[in-house]
């Protein structure tokens, strides 16, 4: 039923594509998919008739009965003015931003209106919230300037055309430009992404897309300065030093790049690192496409690609207690034409392997806290060796020599 | 934080209009408004009298320190006293960053409407919202029943309305210094209000709700996203992933109770299923679900249902039954902080032991048998097992399983045969077992042609008997999957000369090999035959068999293969060793039960 309704609106181009990919059965509440706008309507509080829809595209999508049932959430009490209200009822999701304009010229000394977007009940609607807000503010201005909404002579013809354009453009291009006299108004549906996790000194940013695709002028100057040093091997502290940019600025840049899905964070590569295969490794055995990409990524030279079995053997040999150094000694990747650093990179990016971190924990009683130096104070079990080494400027070997002399410090690998 | 409710609100609507009867917690709002006013009194703040765009400062958040704020009782009551056409269905309203969910319930005479609404964080996942909706519905149904039975709700409504009126009727002066709200009075007088308070408190503290509405109707509810959290603050298990786990549960899996079985039995309701009681009496972490079912005299499907129940309510977790060969490592999300509360609890449980010290022993994959030392005191052994159980209960340990991939050629794994090929081999097997007749299935034709080779002797009784004996051998257990081997002509040899039998044997064995390898491509065949062990038909048979069943594609761990094929671990390990050139092994966790660890990949 839903699909047929989608096809009625031939202009829902981006969405129809999505329909082809997923089965109809996947549209249930909570499926976390975005859906098209089904309808846009404007309603106002009429001085005598009460709440009513003044303009709707397409016509009669929201019937009189439905509207009466939900009007209390669309023209709400004063306390809820200028709040984003979303009500999910009777198979639709109605998103609105109620507005009140106080002025003596109106019948009740105030004009109430609400511009509402309607989606299916299963669809996400958060991404439309800023658009509704912006469009409502635009309407306020137009109303203040030329009684765009409240003038009965207007017959709402321009408004109807405008809403129609907004709906069609947002559904097709996910953005819309409205021109009204001399003012231009841009609306865009922005993808809501999660807040990126904090970036630490010892982590390594790596591009997950082709680099040339975004080497455009879109980034700020600091990011420009940082970008050339992101090569998948330099960690944050090193990038900061080499790019001559303050450490925290680099972190902010990288976090921003993460937000846009351009880079991802990896643990620093060392031959003393331990990795372990994950259940996802099975994908490499099953997925031909992934196999091709993997071979291409990890090969030492383009002309002589390595054998998949050798790659697979490298990955599957990764387990607790086996360092990359051990692996290299045992399997000798160079004659196999495998670049082990790229191998680890690819495995981490695709989740085929995960890093096993080492945490030093000081088990001695806490009575001599003051006597401890800063290195020992970091043995709380919260900081991994990577972090500690990076903070104290130690190499892994130096660190191990230090810890070996301490009977009270245990190492936990996880 | 997300699974926690912000507030619970009770609204009624009847002939006298709508009214918010009770909300909990209620103190937060007053406090916040006071704070708001004091902020205004900041002497350095600019007061802008003229607002150009007529817009009061937009309110973008209605959450303050985990409590609902910015809604007066009147606003809430108009929002939640819904129109009749919206009753008895899901009510969901999002205002800024708060999501309200409830199930408006009509009472007996369809005039009185009651709505128990939960205020949640708007970011709470859909499954959380669904669970709260369910809880609201359950409470509503209980209230309706009690209203019908003895007019419980009308009585409670009266009590609450009276308390509201009493407070608002107080003289002005008294109200100012008397800080208590009507809700304090209501809490003292109304059992329903106390029930709602305890629902809220339970949801905040454990996620398990047990209340008796009017001391009569039992309402119990479990918020899985909260119950499974344990000590991991922002780790959420969705009910969907629990269902997925149940789907992939196999009879060889085992249960691990997260609470003492005696405690569980004590807290069980008097009308709990006797099957569950029996199960818990027979419970042991050493038993697989299959054994448990047999011991508790349950069918396997009953067993799975009970396991699902225990799992959902976070009373148990799924493990592979404890045995000496199990290999454990530290779970990636195990807390290693020196001062983590777990270390304290561990020391209480096992005096003199340090959790982190014990954990560090599992930094390398360690099996129980490795830790067992025959010279140790039995008491120590016992304690060791108990410690492992404790760490598994707290999800500090992870079990590693060995998975095997068949990779005969350098180009990687042999891709699974397409469905057609597999089906063909199956149907073949099927027809030959069904009736050992001379139907022209390839098997039979082959053996007939063998017969033809034997000194020009026409296919006769002996061949027939050998064919039949094939089928007889194949049918029991079906484990050999239609490979007519091991016939060794025992029936045939009775009426033939010895030399002839030898010839036949040789012919047979090469034939057997050919048949075994029929599934493989030429390249794969040469790779397999290069291995010395391939000369041994038994080894080859086992390998071909495992390949054909699809066990060597990394989807089945050794224990599963052992269970499915009924073979011993040593046998399997030997095979892995003999054919190590074409097999790749890999140690990872069992994805079926990995959902309990926050690093799990789906």
């Amino acid at each position: 039923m839903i699909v047929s309704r989608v096809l009625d609106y031939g202009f829902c181009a981006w969405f129809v594509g999505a329909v082809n990919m997923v089965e109809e059965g996947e549209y249930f509440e909570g499926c976390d998919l975005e859906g098209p706008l089904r309808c846009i309507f404007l309603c106002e509080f009429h001085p005598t008739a009460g709440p009513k829809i003044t303009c709707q595209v397409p016509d009669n999508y929201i019937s009189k009965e439905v509207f009466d049932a939900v009007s209390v959430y669309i023209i709400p009490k004063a306390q809820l003015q200028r709040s984003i209200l979303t009500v999910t009822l009777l198979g639709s999701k109605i998103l609105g931003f109620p507005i009140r304009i106080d002025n003596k010229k109106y019948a009740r000394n105030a004009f109430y209106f609400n511009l509402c977007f309607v989606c299916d009940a299963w669809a996400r609607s958060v991404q439309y919230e800023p658009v509704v807000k912006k469009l409502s503010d635009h309407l306020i201005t137009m109303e203040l300037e030329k009684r765009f909404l409240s003038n009965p002579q207007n017959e709402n013809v321009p408004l109807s055309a405008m809403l129609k354009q907004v709906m069609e453009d947002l559904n097709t291009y996910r953005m819309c430009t409205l021109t009204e006299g001399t003012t231009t108004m841009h609306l865009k549906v922005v993808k809501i992404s999660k807040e990126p996790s904090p970036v630490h000194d010892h982590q390594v940013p790596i591009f997950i897309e082709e680099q040339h695709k975004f080497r455009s002028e879109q980034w700020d100057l600091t990011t420009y300065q940082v970008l050339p040093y992101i090569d998948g091997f330099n960690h944050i502290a090193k990038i900061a030093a080499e790019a001559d940019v303050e450490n925290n600025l680099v972190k902010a840049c990288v976090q921003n790049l993460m937000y846009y899905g351009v880079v991802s964070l990896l643990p620093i590569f060392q031959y003393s690192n331990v990795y372990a295969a994950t259940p996802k490794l099975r994908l490499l055995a099953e997925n031909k496409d992934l196999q091709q990409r993997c071979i291409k990524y990890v090969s030492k030279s383009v002309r002589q690609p390595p054998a998949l079995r050798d790659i697979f053997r490298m990955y599957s040999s990764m387990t607790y207690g086996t360092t990359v150094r051990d692996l290299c000694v045992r399997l000798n990747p160079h004659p196999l034409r495998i670049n082990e650093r790229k191998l680890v990179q690819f495995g981490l990016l695709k989740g085929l392997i995960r890093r096993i971190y080492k945490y030093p924990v000081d088990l001695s009683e806490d009575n001599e806290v003051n006597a401890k130096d800063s290195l020992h104070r970091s043995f709380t079990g919260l900081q991994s060796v990577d972090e500690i080494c990076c903070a104290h400027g130690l190499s892994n070997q130096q660190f191990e020599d230090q810890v070996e002399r301490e009977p009270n410090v245990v190492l936990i690998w996880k | 934080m997300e699974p926690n409710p912000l507030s619970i609100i009770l609204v009624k609507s009847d002939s006298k209009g709508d009214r918010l009867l009770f909300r909990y917690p209620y103190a937060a709002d007053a406090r916040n408004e006071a704070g708001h006013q004091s902020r205004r009194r900041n002497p350095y703040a600019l007061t802008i009298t003229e607002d150009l765009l007529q817009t009061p400062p937009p309110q973008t958040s209605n959450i303050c320190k985990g409590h609902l704020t910015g809604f007066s009782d009147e606003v809430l009551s108009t929002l939640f006293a819904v129109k009749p056409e919206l009753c008895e269905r899901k009510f969901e309203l999002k205002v800024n960053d708060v999501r309200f969910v409830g199930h408006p319930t009509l009472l007996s005479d369809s005039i009185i409407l009651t709505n128990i609404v939960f205020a949640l964080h708007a970011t709470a996942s859909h499954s959380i919202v669904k669970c709260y909706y369910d809880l609201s519905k359950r409470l509503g149904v209980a209230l309706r029943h009690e209203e019908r039975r003895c007019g419980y709700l009308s009585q409670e409504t009266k009590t609450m309305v009276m308390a509201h009126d009493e407070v608002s009727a107080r003289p002005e002066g008294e109200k100012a210094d008397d800080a208590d709200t009507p809700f304090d009075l209501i809490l003292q007088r109304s059992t329903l209000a106390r029930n709602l308070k305890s629902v809220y408190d339970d949801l905040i503290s454990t996620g398990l709700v047990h209340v008796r509405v009017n001391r009569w109707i039992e309402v119990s509810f479990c918020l899985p996203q909260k119950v499974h959290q344990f000590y991991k603050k922002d780790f959420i298990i969705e009910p969907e992933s629990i269902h997925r786990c149940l789907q992939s549960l196999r009879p060889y899996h085992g249960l691990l109770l997260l609470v003492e079985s005696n405690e569980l039995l004590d807290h069980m309701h008097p009308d709990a299923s006797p099957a569950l009681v029996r199960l818990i009496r027979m419970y042991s972490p050493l038993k697989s679900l299959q054994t448990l079912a047999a011991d508790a005299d349950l069918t396997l499907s009953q067993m799975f249902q009970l396991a699902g129940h225990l799992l959902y309510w976070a009373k148990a977790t799924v493990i592979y039954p404890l045995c000496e060969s199990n290999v454990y490592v530290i779970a990636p999300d195990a807390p290693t902080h020196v001062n983590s509360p777990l270390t304290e609890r561990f020391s209480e449980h096992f005096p003199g032991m340090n959790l982190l010290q014990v954990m560090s022993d599992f930094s390398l994959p360690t099996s129980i048998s490795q830790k067992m030392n025959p010279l140790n005191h039995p008491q120590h052994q016992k304690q060791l097992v108990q410690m492992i159980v404790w760490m598994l209960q707290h999800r500090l340990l992870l079990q590693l399983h060995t998975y095997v991939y068949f990779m005969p050629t350098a180009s990687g794994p042999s891709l699974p045969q397409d469905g057609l090929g597999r089906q063909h081999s199956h149907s073949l097997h099927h027809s030959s077992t069904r009736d050992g007749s001379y139907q022209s299935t390839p098997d039979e034709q082959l053996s007939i042609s063998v017969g033809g080779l034997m000194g020009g002797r026409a296919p006769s009784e002996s061949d027939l008997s050998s064919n039949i004996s094939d089928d007889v051998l194949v049918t029991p257990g079906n484990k050999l999957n239609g490979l007519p081997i091991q016939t060794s002509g025992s029936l045939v040899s009775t009426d033939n000369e010895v030399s002839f039998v030898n010839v036949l044997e040789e012919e047979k064995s090469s034939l057997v090999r050919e048949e075994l390898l029929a599934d493989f491509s030429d390249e794969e065949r040469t790779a397999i035959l290069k291995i010395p062990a391939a000369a041994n038909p038994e080894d080859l048979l086992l390998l071909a068999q495992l390949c054909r069943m699809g066990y060597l594609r990394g989807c089945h761990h050794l224990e599963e293969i052992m269970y499915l094929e009924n073979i011993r671990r040593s046998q399997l390990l030997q095979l892995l060793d003999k054919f190590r050139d074409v097999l790749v092994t890999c140690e990872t966790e069992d994805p079926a039960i990995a959902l309990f660890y926050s690093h799990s990949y789906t």
Side-chain angles (χ1 to χ4, degrees):
Chain A
M1 178 206 82
I2 292 167
V3 172
S4 69
R5 229 205 280 164
V6 169
L7 295 177
D8 287 345
Y9 301 108
F11 51 79
C12 303
W14 64 269
F15 184 71
V16 173
V19 169
N20 292 336
M21 278 187 289
V22 283
E23 298 279 311
E24 190 183 349
E26 293 185 26
Y27 296 121
F28 53 92
E29 275 191 56
C31 60
D32 224 30
L33 292 171
E34 289 181 9
L37 280 176
R38 293 295 182 194
C39 163
I40 300 181
F41 68 86
L42 183 100
C43 66
E44 62 173 55
F45 188 82
H46 193 271
T48 50
K52 67 166 212 176
I53 297 182
T54 46
C55 178
Q56 178 171 198
V57 280
D59 260 341
N60 283 323
Y61 185 87
I62 296 290
S63 65
K64 180 91 177 64
E65 293 75 45
V66 174
F67 181 75
D68 285 344
V70 300
S71 63
V72 62
Y73 311 108
I74 292 172
I75 303 289
K77 295 219 161 174
Q79 216 177 350
L80 294 175
Q81 301 293 340
R82 296 198 64 85
S83 298
I84 288 275
L85 283 168
T86 311
V87 61
T88 313
L89 288 168
L90 306 169
S92 297
K93 208 173 217 180
I94 302 175
L95 171 78
F97 188 62
I99 303 284
R100 183 185 69 189
I101 302 175
D102 291 314
N103 200 318
K104 289 266 156 36
K105 70 185 175 195
Y106 298 117
R108 291 195 173 197
N109 290 333
F111 179 66
Y112 299 85
F113 75 91
N114 191 355
L115 179 82
C116 295
F117 281 18
V118 185
C119 310
D120 290 311
W122 52 262
R124 293 189 67 187
S125 64
V126 206
Q127 73 277 14
Y128 291 122
E129 287 182 3
V131 181
V132 171
K133 244 179 179 167
K134 190 168 177 184
L135 198 53
S136 298
D137 280 331
H138 181 61
L139 289 178
I140 296 178
T141 321
M142 303 233 296
E143 167 66 20
L144 290 177
E145 282 174 0
K146 48 183 180 182
R147 300 199 64 176
F148 184 71
L149 301 176
S150 60
N151 189 352
Q153 271 85 57
N154 252 352
E155 289 295 324
N156 289 320
V157 175
L159 179 67
S160 165
M162 185 179 108
L163 294 186
K164 193 158 190 248
Q165 189 200 341
V166 169
M167 180 160 134
E168 287 180 8
D169 286 1
L170 286 186
N171 275 337
T172 323
Y173 313 111
R174 317 208 61 183
M175 56 175 111
C176 174
T177 308
L178 295 174
T179 319
E180 186 69 42
T182 55
T183 53
T184 313
M185 161 95 169
H186 300 279
L187 298 173
K188 186 165 188 207
V189 184
V190 184
K191 203 175 145 214
I192 310 265
S193 307
K194 257 203 204 151
E195 193 82 345
S197 49
V199 181
H200 298 288
D201 269 343
H202 58 95
Q203 287 173 316
V204 177
I206 179 169
F207 289 110
I208 38 186
E209 281 181 59
E210 286 294 315
Q211 208 165 337
H212 58 85
K213 272 195 195 157
F214 45 83
R215 277 231 165 162
S216 53
E217 286 69 42
Q218 56 173 323
W219 304 114
D220 57 284
L221 290 176
T222 317
T223 309
Y224 247 137
Q225 209 170 336
V226 168
L227 274 181
Y229 298 95
I230 298 181
D231 61 354
F233 297 109
N234 289 340
H235 57 281
I236 298 285
K238 193 171 174 194
I239 292 173
E242 294 202 348
D244 197 19
V245 176
E246 212 269 321
N247 209 322
N248 286 320
L249 286 179
V250 176
K251 287 180 190 167
C253 285
V254 170
Q255 213 172 2
N256 185 42
L257 291 170
M258 275 163 65
Y259 181 83
Y260 288 107
V262 177
V263 303
S264 171
L265 287 180
L266 296 183
I268 193 166
F269 179 85
Q270 285 174 304
Y271 281 94
S272 57
N273 283 359
V274 174
Y275 300 90
T278 70
K280 261 192 165 180
L281 184 59
R282 195 196 303 161
L283 293 181
L284 187 62
E286 288 166 358
N287 188 335
K288 270 266 179 260
D289 182 47
L290 186 68
Q291 291 174 2
Q292 293 306 325
R293 270 186 292 154
C294 180
I295 292 174
K296 202 172 147 210
Y297 196 94
V298 306
S299 66
K300 282 181 71 180
S301 78
V302 187
R303 273 169 295 139
Q304 286 185 304
L308 184 75
R309 181 166 64 176
D310 298 327
I311 296 174
F312 201 86
R313 205 158 250 163
M314 287 281 283
Y315 278 135
S316 61
S317 309
M318 292 180 179
T319 183
Y320 292 75
T322 311
T323 61
V324 179
R325 193 187 300 114
D326 298 340
L327 274 183
C328 289
V329 170
R330 200 193 317 157
L331 297 169
N332 206 359
H334 288 267
L336 302 176
R337 306 185 292 271
I338 297 174
N339 180 341
E340 69 276 1
R341 286 160 65 117
K342 298 280 252 174
L343 181 87
V344 167
Q345 256 180 18
F346 187 84
L348 288 171
L349 280 177
K350 299 290 170 197
L352 309 177
I353 55 173
R354 66 183 150 81
R355 171 84 192 273
I356 309 297
Y357 292 92
K358 185 162 66 170
Y359 289 83
V361 184
D362 192 346
L363 293 180
S364 56
E365 293 302 315
D366 282 350
N367 45 15
E368 33 177 0
V369 173
N370 297 328
K372 290 183 190 169
D373 55 12
S374 69
L375 180 64
H376 279 82
R377 271 203 296 276
S378 60
F379 293 171
T380 54
L382 289 177
Q383 286 172 294
S384 69
V385 172
D386 277 8
E387 217 170 328
I388 295 169
C389 283
C390 192
H392 292 88
L394 291 172
S395 78
N396 193 53
Q397 194 56 48
Q398 286 169 320
F399 173 82
E400 277 183 6
D401 292 345
Q402 282 251 356
V403 172
E404 219 158 89
R405 281 181 260 128
E406 309 278 347
N408 276 330
V409 176
V410 294
L411 292 174
I412 291 180
W413 295 81
K414 64 167 186 178
Chain B
M1 285 309 278
E2 275 180 8
N4 286 350
L6 296 167
S7 176
I8 181 169
I9 299 149
L10 173 70
V11 168
K12 66 101 193 176
S13 163
D14 55 18
S15 51
K16 289 175 197 144
D18 53 72
R19 184 131 200 191
L20 182 139
L21 293 176
F22 184 67
R23 67 196 280 190
Y24 189 85
Y26 46 81
D29 221 26
R31 222 188 301 137
N32 181 55
E33 262 160 35
H36 200 70
Q37 273 173 358
S38 71
R39 219 180 302 139
R40 280 280 174 79
R41 270 186 247 120
N42 181 350
Y44 305 106
L46 267 181
T47 40
I48 304 163
T49 45
E50 180 194 17
D51 196 344
L52 290 172
L53 278 173
Q54 288 188 328
T55 47
Q59 192 172 21
T60 51
S61 175
N62 290 97
I63 301 173
C64 173
K65 292 175 199 140
H67 293 295
L68 188 65
T69 168
F71 294 108
S72 68
D73 294 356
E74 291 72 35
V75 168
L76 291 178
S77 83
T78 42
L79 288 180
F80 303 148
V82 298
K83 297 261 167 68
E85 52 267 49
L86 301 179
C87 282
E88 303 296 336
R89 60 176 81 215
K90 187 170 171 185
F91 168 82
E92 193 181 332
L93 173 71
K94 178 172 161 290
V95 181
N96 292 323
D97 54 352
V98 180
R99 193 185 297 275
F100 298 99
V101 64
H103 179 82
T105 311
L106 283 175
L107 295 184
S108 47
D109 42 8
S110 296
I111 302 170
I112 307 175
L113 170 136
T114 174
N115 196 359
I116 296 168
V117 179
F118 291 95
L120 309 173
H121 293 266
T123 47
S125 77
H126 195 275
S127 70
I128 294 178
V129 177
K130 209 163 136 193
C131 288
Y132 274 100
Y133 165 68
D134 191 40
L135 176 57
S136 167
K137 193 171 171 180
R138 286 181 198 202
L139 289 169
V141 170
L143 282 181
R144 177 160 57 200
H145 181 273
E146 283 306 283
E147 173 67 17
R148 271 186 200 157
R149 191 172 69 90
C150 57
Y152 174 63
L153 189 75
S154 315
Q155 223 173 323
E156 291 293 304
T157 308
K158 217 176 275 170
T159 320
M160 294 192 208
V161 171
M162 256 170 65
H164 277 288
D165 293 346
E166 221 172 277
V167 171
S168 55
R170 279 181 193 161
E172 277 300 312
E174 198 182 319
K175 215 192 307 184
D177 53 61
D178 195 17
D180 69 17
T181 63
F183 299 120
D184 282 324
L185 277 181
I186 290 173
L187 260 190
Q188 286 166 20
R189 294 179 192 169
S190 157
T191 54
L192 179 58
R194 280 200 295 277
N195 277 340
L196 294 180
K197 175 181 182 295
S198 81
V199 166
Y200 176 86
D201 290 340
D202 285 348
L203 284 170
I204 293 277
S205 60
T206 59
L208 285 176
V209 174
H210 292 285
V211 288
R212 272 184 189 278
V213 174
N214 196 20
R215 297 198 200 102
W216 185 249
I217 300 289
E218 164 99 32
V219 175
S220 49
F221 169 81
C222 162
L223 186 66
Q225 294 88 346
K226 175 93 188 174
V227 178
H228 290 269
Q229 242 175 1
F230 291 122
Y231 51 89
K232 295 173 202 157
K233 278 283 166 285
D234 38 13
F235 173 51
I236 288 179
I237 292 187
E238 300 285 348
E240 286 80 16
S241 51
I242 297 179
H243 291 145
R244 259 203 308 281
C245 169
L246 290 176
Q247 292 292 318
S248 45
L249 218 54
R250 297 283 172 270
Y252 60 78
H253 281 126
L255 277 182
L256 176 67
L257 287 188
L258 298 177
V259 283
E260 287 294 317
S261 52
N262 287 333
E263 197 184 321
L264 196 57
L265 284 174
D266 289 346
H267 283 84
M268 222 171 293
H269 298 295
D271 55 350
S273 153
L276 188 61
V277 177
R278 230 165 36 232
L279 163 67
I280 290 165
R281 291 242 160 81
M282 298 313 295
Y283 156 81
S284 152
L286 307 174
K287 291 180 185 171
S288 67
L289 292 177
Q290 199 174 25
T291 327
L292 261 180
D295 290 353
D297 200 14
L298 300 167
T299 65
L300 205 54
S301 64
Q302 257 179 315
M303 183 63 220
F304 276 105
Q305 274 171 1
L306 291 176
H309 193 65
L310 289 171
L311 209 60
Y312 188 86
W313 287 75
K315 299 295 181 209
T317 185
V318 180
I319 54 166
Y320 185 80
L322 285 183
C323 66
E324 288 201 353
S325 54
N326 284 1
V327 176
Y328 296 104
V329 286
I330 304 172
D333 56 349
T336 40
H337 189 224
V338 210
N339 301 324
S340 101
L342 280 179
T343 53
E344 198 113 317
R345 260 195 275 163
F346 185 81
S347 313
E348 278 170 26
H349 233 86
F350 305 100
M353 303 301 282
N354 186 316
L355 175 63
L356 294 169
Q357 185 83 56
V358 177
M359 270 168 74
S360 75
D361 292 348
F362 288 91
S363 281
L364 294 179
T366 309
S367 68
I368 299 182
S369 59
Q370 271 171 305
K371 298 275 293 178
M372 291 283 195
N373 184 347
L375 300 176
N376 272 355
H377 196 267
Q379 196 59 37
H380 284 193
Q381 314 270 44
K382 206 177 149 200
Q383 195 187 31
L384 174 74
V385 174
Q386 280 171 346
M387 286 194 298
I388 290 177
V389 167
W390 194 91
M391 288 192 283
L392 281 172
Q393 281 174 332
H394 291 81
R395 289 163 191 167
L396 302 177
L397 291 186
L398 187 77
Q399 186 178 356
L400 291 183
H401 293 275
T402 305
Y403 292 84
V404 191
Y405 294 87
F406 176 61
M407 291 199 184
T409 60
S411 65
S414 67
L415 280 183
Q417 300 143 311
D418 42 11
L420 215 137
R422 278 183 68 81
Q423 224 157 38
H424 179 66
S425 75
H426 272 284
S427 66
L428 188 110
H429 158 61
H430 199 69
S431 69
S432 69
T433 47
R434 195 183 54 237
D435 46 17
S437 70
Y438 285 113
Q439 279 175 352
S440 58
T441 55
D443 276 73
E444 322 254 332
Q445 275 179 344
L446 267 174
S447 47
I448 290 168
S449 72
V450 172
L453 275 173
M454 296 184 295
R457 201 171 56 89
S460 68
E461 220 183 344
S462 62
D463 295 306
L464 173 65
S465 65
S466 84
N467 276 330
I468 291 171
S469 71
D470 286 355
D471 299 330
V472 171
L473 269 171
V474 167
T475 21
N478 273 351
K479 287 296 184 205
L480 301 180
N481 201 25
L483 288 176
I485 23 73
Q486 286 186 345
T487 52
S488 69
S490 61
L491 280 173
V492 183
S493 66
T494 50
D495 59 340
N496 282 300
E497 294 158 51
V498 182
S499 62
F500 174 68
V501 171
N502 282 347
V503 171
L504 182 74
E505 288 271 87
E506 264 171 44
E507 292 286 345
K508 268 280 182 187
S509 79
S510 71
L511 173 77
V512 160
R513 181 178 300 169
E514 246 164 63
E515 278 182 11
L516 284 178
L517 297 174
D519 284 352
F520 303 115
S521 70
D522 290 343
E523 247 183 297
E524 292 173 343
R525 214 170 300 155
T526 41
I528 296 173
L529 291 178
K530 248 190 256 166
I531 299 166
N536 183 347
E538 274 176 35
D539 288 338
L540 195 58
L541 164 68
L542 187 58
L543 180 77
Q545 207 177 300
L546 296 182
C547 272
R548 182 175 280 197
M549 297 300 284
Y551 294 149
L552 304 184
R553 286 190 211 126
C555 305
H556 303 263
H557 48 68
L558 291 191
E559 287 78 12
E560 186 165 10
I561 301 176
M562 282 158 55
Y563 169 79
L564 289 170
E565 289 295 289
N566 201 15
I567 45 180
R568 267 170 290 125
R569 178 182 297 272
S570 58
Q571 239 176 319
L572 208 48
L573 290 178
Q574 271 175 17
L575 186 83
L576 294 188
D577 189 49
K578 282 179 186 161
F579 288 94
R580 61 181 174 275
D581 289 344
V582 291
L583 297 176
V584 180
T585 58
C586 169
E587 286 184 343
T588 63
E589 61 265 33
D590 182 357
I593 53 179
L595 83 142
F596 297 111
Y597 302 93
S598 52
H599 74 282
S600 69
Y601 310 90
T602 44

